[in-house]
Amino acid sequence: EGVLNSEWAFAFPRNSPFKSLIDGMILQYRENGYLSKVWKKWYNKAASCARATKSSRDDLRFGMDMLSGLFLMFGIAVAAACVLFVVEILYYAIIKCFQTSW
């Protein structure tokens, strides 16, 4: 079955008391077929959904119309950074001017 042939893991802290418990439960679920049932229930749905949407996904290509929002956001961010840079320079110039006049 798919779940029995695939590689997956759980991460636990070093010397965790739960590692042996989880290992035992996984082994028990493999032996009684529960993991295979869960795999078939969820993986078969995902596989059929992927097959159904594959043809519509093949038509998508990255073009300017799809990426225009990204470029717009990037342009706004660059413009905001430039404005903030100018404001910062003016602020410190004014502070320096007031400090020398006192």
Side-chain angles (χ1 to χ4, degrees):
E1 309 291 327
V3 71
L4 301 177
N5 295 330
S6 62
E7 296 179 19
W8 45 280
F10 293 96
F12 293 101
R14 191 171 293 210
N15 300 323
S16 173
F18 300 112
K19 183 187 178 307
S20 59
L21 176 68
I22 298 297
D23 286 344
M25 291 182 76
I26 290 173
L27 181 62
Q28 179 183 352
Y29 285 155
R30 274 190 179 180
E31 289 174 351
N32 69 15
Y34 179 73
L35 283 180
S36 296
K37 287 179 195 176
V38 171
W39 180 265
K40 286 177 184 175
K41 177 182 178 181
W42 291 104
Y43 182 73
N44 285 340
K45 285 182 181 179
S48 64
C49 182
R51 282 191 301 271
T53 59
K54 185 176 182 188
S55 62
S56 63
R57 205 175 42 215
D58 290 340
D59 296 334
L60 295 177
R61 293 196 172 46
F62 286 116
M64 197 54 142
D65 55 335
M66 291 186 71
L67 298 175
S68 61
L70 179 65
F71 285 115
L72 178 65
M73 293 293 288
F74 180 72
I76 290 171
V78 168
C82 290
V83 167
L84 288 174
F85 178 68
V86 170
V87 167
E88 184 179 4
I89 289 174
L90 291 175
Y91 174 76
Y92 284 112
I94 291 171
I95 293 282
K96 187 176 181 179
C97 183
F98 279 124
Q99 286 176 349
T100 57
S101 65
W102 287 96

